[in-house]
Amino acid sequence: MVLENYVKLTPGVPKRLHFTDHALVTKTLTDPLLGRSKEVRSLEFLVDSEDGVKVDKSFSVVSEKLAATLEPWLGGKRYLAYEFTITRRGEGFVTSYTVDVTPARA
């Protein structure tokens, strides 16, 4: 059974998201290479629209580069008026992201 209660980015596939809230959290993840647990800081968003479909999901950002790209939209929850199309490129240490920002659709 797939719960699909979080947004997953597939390399090369754009994902259009609308955020409703955010928080900085600390969570424990298992390192896929070493198999040991570690605490990481994460930028968590609540998502109410994914590719134009209403959803109730979360989107977790642990990439420093992606978090830095989204950071200017956090103050005053400026992201509420926009949709973010995020495309993940590459895998592992060479992963990069492109982010296109457009006014939210009514």
Side-chain angles (χ1 to χ4, degrees):
M1 168 176 32
V2 179
L3 299 178
E4 296 190 20
N5 54 1
Y6 65 94
V7 174
K8 182 177 180 178
L9 299 179
T10 302
V13 179
K15 182 68 65 175
R16 185 169 37 97
L17 305 171
H18 181 260
F19 307 131
T20 60
D21 205 356
H22 77 282
L24 290 171
V25 301
T26 300
K27 60 184 177 180
T28 304
L29 298 178
T30 301
D31 185 302
L33 297 175
L34 302 175
R36 58 176 250 217
S37 296
K38 63 181 180 179
E39 283 193 351
V40 297
R41 297 269 296 155
S42 173
L43 174 58
E44 300 280 330
F45 288 98
L46 294 181
V47 178
D48 69 348
S49 177
E50 178 181 10
D51 295 328
V53 177
K54 291 203 177 296
V55 296
D56 186 9
K57 294 185 177 185
S58 62
F59 177 57
S60 178
V61 178
V62 293
S63 162
E64 289 282 344
K65 287 190 265 185
L66 181 55
T69 301
L70 297 171
E71 191 274 333
W73 305 96
L74 301 180
K77 296 187 178 183
R78 290 182 52 220
Y79 52 76
L80 289 171
Y82 298 92
E83 290 183 326
F84 296 79
T85 301
I86 302 170
T87 306
R88 176 180 166 186
R89 307 217 186 270
E91 295 283 338
F93 295 113
V94 296
T95 301
S96 64
Y97 301 88
T98 56
V99 179
D100 294 312
V101 182
T102 56
R105 298 175 186 176

